[in-house]
Amino acid sequence: MTPFAGSAHSVRSTDTLTRDALAVLQPGFTGTTAPDWLLRRVGEGLASVGLFGRNVADPAQLAALTERLRREREDILVAIDEEGGDVTRLEVRGGSSFPGNHALGAVDDTALTREVARELGRRLADCGINLNWAPSADVNSNPDNPVIGVRSFGADPQLVARHTAAYVDGLQSAGVAACTKHFPGHGDTAVDSHHDLPRITADLTTLQERELVPFRAAVAAGTRAVMSAHILLPALDAEHPATLSPAALHGLLRAPVAEGGLGFDGLIVTDGMEMQAISATYGIERGSVLAIAAGADAICVGGGLADEDTVLRLRDALVRAVRDGELSEKRLADAAARVRALARWTRGAGAGEGAVPAPGIGLTAARRALRSTAGGRPYEPLTTPAYVAAFTPLANIAVGDDTPWGVAAELARLVPGTETATYTGESAAAEGTPALIDGLLRAAADRRIVAVVRDVHRHPWMADALAALLAARPDTAVVEMGVPQSPPQGALHIATHGAARVCGRAAAELLTGRGPASAG
């Protein structure tokens, strides 16, 4: 699709163009109250706002924030990246009350997935949020993926498809629009697009049979939005990442099913434009123009750039592109119309109305997701204070390092006096593994040890440290809170399939024999 603008006489007034340009932006801001500049731009046509962990203190504050935004524009789209599990904004400082996708996929009960998503949607709606940048429909076909992992329902396309559909249905039944991501599939990447441009070498047949299966299910389930990925698929477009690719957005996502497309007619949202995969190559202004021209309808920006200047730069770049003939006036107007159409849907969807609260569903799901493997001798539950050794990898940007994880807090609640310490790849490199483990053993003394790991298969330093610890203390219990790719080790091995707070609580219950959790 070639960007096209009509004659100068057909270009509409500056005010109309400006309103349309503002309408396609989904910017962020800093603080827990709406700044004056944001309210002013909402009055001028801005139709969406994105919220992040920095904007959230508690549900009452969040509800007051969204209510203030709606005094400026009743149908404003208020979006958030609330996947549950490892990626939480509602509970960024305490950890999520919901397990993430990988745990739900491990249980493989679509009714449970639907119920979890519905309760999550109800809580979002209660806070005035009506668009969730979730679920992740990525097939985690590459176990070394540094950014998806437990954010995926799993490695089987059909499993991911049925749970994606259930999640979309549950979330939207609470009146919150789902934004299925990261189209056309971020699971087969070894690079995090926050840092660089991932390249997927799969051919079109593989793409159709693997990556696209869950997205077709999401479209069939009625997902109101789809988020594009900043990934390069040469089989589809050798030059442009999917976010900027007419072949990916207009030619695949929008194209009729009869022509091999997905037939999607809802809102296409970009992933964060300040991510290096786009900003380092194209710049956010040029990238935003190319994205709208390629078929995107809404520009997500604000995770890293959260100021008025960013909004004005993107607004002006879009207006200028229309006036210079680089971007079709009609394409921009169509994108803005899709944003406003989704806003109208959220007003009529009855956000949260009639959704029966299910406050314990997240913990129930986390308990069901546990998988435990006993070592050679029967495991004796912890009854005295333990020592928790948390082998901690560097957090990816999507998860962030503000959200606590692990089992120590929940274990200390059940067994007061339990202590914890963090061990990192940096400390292993600086001290050497033998010295690191010697220090750990001295700190633990005669207490029982619980080793907590996260994606041990992706981190050689972690695997080495764990092996050395188990050689010295074979009675150590191991809790894997990432993707359980490595063989089970330890006197008791627990796979939680995620690092949400409720996953830690479920594991602590099993370690102590204090709760209803059981191996499944």
Side-chain angles (χ1 to χ4, degrees):
M1 183 179 70
T2 304
F4 165 79
S7 69
H9 296 294
S10 71
V11 176
R12 295 167 296 162
S13 70
T14 299
D15 181 62
T16 302
L17 276 178
T18 299
R19 294 189 75 83
D20 283 354
L22 284 170
V24 303
L25 303 181
Q26 293 189 346
F29 61 94
T30 57
T32 53
T33 58
D36 289 342
W37 70 261
L38 183 68
L39 297 174
R40 186 166 61 252
R41 300 306 171 191
V42 170
E44 294 173 0
L46 189 67
S48 310
V49 172
L51 300 182
F52 298 85
R54 61 175 180 250
N55 306 122
V56 180
D58 55 60
Q61 166 269 325
L62 193 52
L65 167 60
T66 59
E67 192 275 332
R68 179 67 189 90
L69 290 168
R70 288 198 169 85
R71 290 211 300 272
E72 295 299 320
R73 184 187 182 108
E74 191 175 1
D75 66 346
I76 192 168
L77 286 172
V78 182
I80 201 166
D81 192 4
E82 182 58 49
E83 299 177 16
D86 291 30
V87 179
T88 179
R89 310 305 178 216
L90 284 184
E91 300 179 275
V92 64
R93 291 166 191 84
S96 182
S97 300
F98 302 92
N101 286 2
H102 208 56
L104 296 172
V107 178
D108 196 12
D109 178 347
T110 53
L112 178 69
T113 295
R114 189 177 295 106
E115 195 173 351
V116 166
R118 183 175 175 83
E119 173 63 12
L120 179 59
R122 188 191 65 80
R123 295 193 195 183
L124 290 171
D126 279 353
C127 295
I129 293 163
N130 53 13
L131 173 60
N132 190 10
W133 293 319
S136 166
D138 304 298
V139 178
N140 200 47
S141 54
N142 183 350
D144 290 330
N145 195 311
V147 70
I148 302 300
V150 295
R151 300 167 67 197
S152 165
F153 289 111
D156 174 45
Q158 296 299 331
L159 180 144
V160 176
R162 61 179 173 266
H163 286 279
T164 296
Y167 196 106
V168 166
D169 183 49
L171 188 65
Q172 294 187 166
S173 72
V176 176
C179 183
T180 305
K181 63 188 183 187
H182 306 81
F183 182 83
H186 209 309
D188 190 24
T189 58
V191 172
D192 184 344
S193 51
H194 290 89
H195 302 299
D196 206 345
L197 178 63
R199 179 187 180 95
I200 294 180
T201 57
D203 58 26
L204 287 177
T205 299
T206 302
L207 192 68
Q208 291 284 354
E209 295 176 352
R210 188 178 64 188
E211 274 77 10
L212 295 181
V213 173
F215 288 97
R216 287 197 201 95
V219 172
T223 186
R224 309 305 301 191
V226 169
M227 178 176 281
S228 66
H230 305 328
I231 55 177
L232 189 69
L233 291 120
L236 194 61
D237 187 325
E239 183 180 354
H240 303 102
T243 293
L244 312 183
S245 170
L249 303 186
H250 183 71
L252 182 59
L253 184 53
R254 288 273 190 239
V257 174
E259 298 175 14
L262 275 68
F264 179 63
D265 194 39
L267 189 77
I268 299 177
V269 184
T270 73
D271 207 344
M273 295 301 285
E274 62 268 60
M275 292 162 64
Q276 290 297 300
I278 298 295
S279 62
T281 305
Y282 300 90
I284 61 168
E285 294 100 324
R286 182 71 182 149
S288 296
V289 169
L290 291 173
I292 298 295
D297 305 304
I299 301 295
C300 176
V301 66
L305 299 171
D307 54 22
E308 183 177 22
D309 181 61
T310 299
V311 173
L312 298 181
R313 283 165 57 198
L314 297 185
R315 178 201 68 183
D316 293 348
L318 291 166
V319 170
R320 186 166 56 249
V322 171
R323 295 204 171 278
D324 290 349
E326 294 182 47
L327 174 64
S328 162
E329 172 190 348
K330 182 178 182 303
R331 173 78 272 275
L332 180 62
D334 175 63
R338 288 183 188 275
V339 172
R340 296 172 188 133
L342 180 56
R344 286 194 299 274
W345 177 86
T346 61
R347 289 190 65 190
E353 294 176 13
V356 178
I361 191 63
L363 180 57
T364 296
R367 287 167 174 161
R368 289 183 62 187
L370 292 185
R371 300 292 180 267
S372 66
T373 306
R377 65 184 68 179
Y379 176 79
E380 294 294 328
L382 293 171
T383 56
T384 56
Y387 184 79
V388 178
F391 294 102
T392 304
L394 188 67
N396 71 58
I397 291 177
V399 174
D401 53 14
D402 294 331
T403 304
W405 70 284
V407 301
E410 295 294 338
L411 200 55
R413 187 176 58 80
L414 296 175
V415 186
T418 291
E419 295 181 4
T420 187
T422 297
Y423 299 89
T424 66
E426 289 79 4
S427 57
E431 302 174 39
T433 298
L436 183 144
I437 297 302
D438 284 347
L440 188 162
L441 294 172
R442 285 194 301 273
D446 59 353
R447 289 174 291 182
R448 293 186 50 195
I449 299 173
V450 177
V452 183
V453 296
R454 200 168 181 175
D455 290 342
V456 70
H457 67 282
R458 291 202 303 114
H459 303 287
W461 73 268
M462 192 184 297
D464 291 345
L466 182 61
L469 172 59
L470 291 173
R473 289 285 298 270
D475 62 332
T476 295
V478 178
V479 181
E480 168 63 86
M481 303 195 81
V483 177
Q485 189 76 18
S486 294
Q489 302 177 76
L492 178 68
H493 183 277
I494 301 173
T496 62
H497 300 91
R501 176 175 54 82
V502 286
C503 297
R505 177 172 172 181
E509 291 174 346
L510 189 54
L511 287 164
T512 59
R514 300 279 187 94
S518 61

